[in-house]
Amino acid sequence: MPDTPPSVPDFTQWPSFPFEGDLRVKRLDEPVPVEPPRKGEAHRECTACQAPDDAYIWVGERWRVRAMDRPTGLPMVLILESRSHLDLGDLPNLLAAELGVMTVRLERAIRSLDGVARVHVNRWGDGSAHLHMWFLARPYGRLQLRGTFLSLWDSILPPISEDKWRENLALVAAWLAEFGGRPLAEPPRIQWQAPSSLAAQSAPRQEQPTEGGSLLDAIGETAEPPDVPGVVSGPTDAATASDAQTTAPSAGPTEAPTPQPGTGDSISEQEAAADDADAPASRPEEATGGTARDGTEVLEEEAQGESAPSKPSPDDPPTADGSDGTAGTPGKSGTP
């Protein structure tokens, strides 16, 4: 007698169920005798213990909060981890009490963001032995995302913009820092633009879709969190091309002279030479500071200046022969 496939459960008809059409239930595998070790168990390395503080958006003395490595479909997805390598059932009383405080505090911080209606708190623990709690923000007004399928919708919805994602991370980190710890997430930097590129802002520009991850991509089939969550930055290709096109100089009616090879003259030097050629020549009167004279008169004046004796000064000392040092005229003495 062939096995009768189980009927599709009623929740497939719920408005929150993200799929429709003909569905069938997968065949259930046989149970394994021994489950494989999780990360942080047996010989497997613990990702959370190896991650540095700068991989998180907020760090404290005993707790750390990190995000996904890129924007996802939900407004915010965060992970709360303990610094100590402990699972939920291994927490001492002090950390167990702090876990309740940190859960409420982080839920309030995420719910304070614009456009967030509820925050779902989940703990799976099938991928890592290091305690990590998931916080998923449900967008306000999206009633179809209510309930247990929110993690599925996170991988279906288009990712939010990176600027909005970074801004939300910075707000949550600042909220947590009001009670202690150190915020590490920074808001997005302002993209300052030159006045020549302001016109490009008014022109409509198609935004390239951001390739986002999802919660399911992070946890995978074994619910493993991402190893080291990073932050993807940098301007999009569309913005770079727009800025390059805006700042490129427009061609004028005439082109600048091209320097000849081997001359070593730059374009600026050739332009300066062209300006000097266009300037009116100075008049001879301006060059000499007086009336224009030919070269013969100048030579005659220079010859007379060399042959004329210099007039002695009254203060000059007398010479050895008692004269006053002036060249005497024949037939006349140097004394009166």
Side-chain angles (χ1 to χ4, degrees):
M1 183 175 179
D3 295 337
T4 302
S7 60
V8 177
D10 294 338
F11 64 76
T12 58
Q13 304 300 322
W14 294 358
S16 60
F17 189 70
F19 307 103
E20 60 183 0
D22 296 334
L23 301 174
R24 62 184 181 89
V25 180
K26 295 177 64 175
R27 183 182 182 86
L28 187 63
D29 296 335
E30 295 294 331
V32 298
V34 179
E35 291 193 0
R38 301 174 296 173
K39 286 185 178 181
E41 286 182 337
H43 62 280
R44 298 196 63 184
E45 185 180 22
C46 179
T47 304
C49 292
Q50 299 296 327
D53 280 353
D54 55 5
Y56 294 75
I57 70 167
W58 175 88
V59 294
E61 183 179 357
R62 290 178 290 273
W63 301 93
R64 299 191 295 183
V65 177
R66 62 172 169 153
M68 309 293 287
D69 58 347
R70 54 190 182 272
T72 61
L74 299 180
M76 183 57 58
V77 176
L78 293 177
I79 306 171
L80 174 64
E81 294 179 353
S82 61
R83 279 193 179 271
S84 302
H85 185 76
L86 300 169
D87 206 346
L88 180 62
D90 303 328
L91 294 179
N93 292 338
L94 175 61
L95 291 181
E98 286 187 351
L99 176 60
V101 176
M102 288 298 304
T103 300
V104 174
R105 188 175 297 169
L106 185 54
E107 190 273 345
R108 289 174 178 172
I110 299 175
R111 189 159 41 89
S112 68
L113 300 175
D114 293 337
V116 174
R118 297 286 184 270
V119 180
H120 294 198
V121 181
N122 300 274
R123 185 259 174 178
W124 288 284
D126 287 330
S128 175
H130 197 119
L131 174 62
H132 55 286
M133 307 284 293
W134 292 84
F135 293 76
L136 286 70
R138 178 177 69 81
Y140 186 86
R142 296 288 187 178
L143 302 182
Q144 195 174 356
L145 273 60
R146 294 180 299 178
T148 57
F149 303 114
L150 184 62
S151 59
L152 300 179
W153 282 106
D154 181 54
S155 59
I156 298 174
L157 297 174
I160 65 175
S161 65
E162 184 173 349
D163 288 344
K164 185 62 177 177
W165 177 64
R166 290 179 179 272
E167 181 182 356
N168 290 341
L169 292 179
L171 291 174
V172 172
W175 179 292
L176 296 177
E178 291 292 329
F179 304 92
R182 182 163 52 101
L184 299 177
E186 297 181 354
R189 298 185 180 275
I190 300 176
Q191 299 294 334
W192 298 106
Q193 296 189 10
S196 60
S197 61
L198 293 179
Q201 290 182 337
S202 59
R205 185 181 63 186
Q206 294 182 351
E207 295 185 358
Q208 297 293 336
T210 305
E211 182 181 355
S214 65
L215 183 146
L216 295 182
D217 294 336
I219 62 178
E221 296 180 355
T222 57
E224 296 177 353
D227 293 342
V228 181
V231 175
V232 179
S233 64
T236 60
D237 296 338
T240 306
S242 175
D243 294 343
Q245 182 179 4
T246 306
T247 57
S250 59
T254 58
E255 297 181 356
T258 305
Q260 298 297 330
T263 58
D265 295 333
S266 62
I267 297 178
S268 59
E269 293 175 349
Q270 294 183 0
E271 292 177 351
D275 294 341
D276 294 341
D278 295 339
S282 58
R283 294 179 299 176
E285 294 86 352
E286 296 176 355
T288 58
T291 307
R293 298 175 298 175
D294 56 7
T296 306
E297 295 177 356
V298 175
L299 293 177
E300 292 177 357
E301 290 181 1
E302 291 179 355
Q304 293 177 1
E306 293 178 357
S307 60
S310 60
K311 185 178 180 180
S313 173
D315 298 333
D316 291 340
T319 57
D321 56 357
S323 63
D324 55 3
T326 60
T329 306
K332 293 184 180 181
S333 62
T335 58

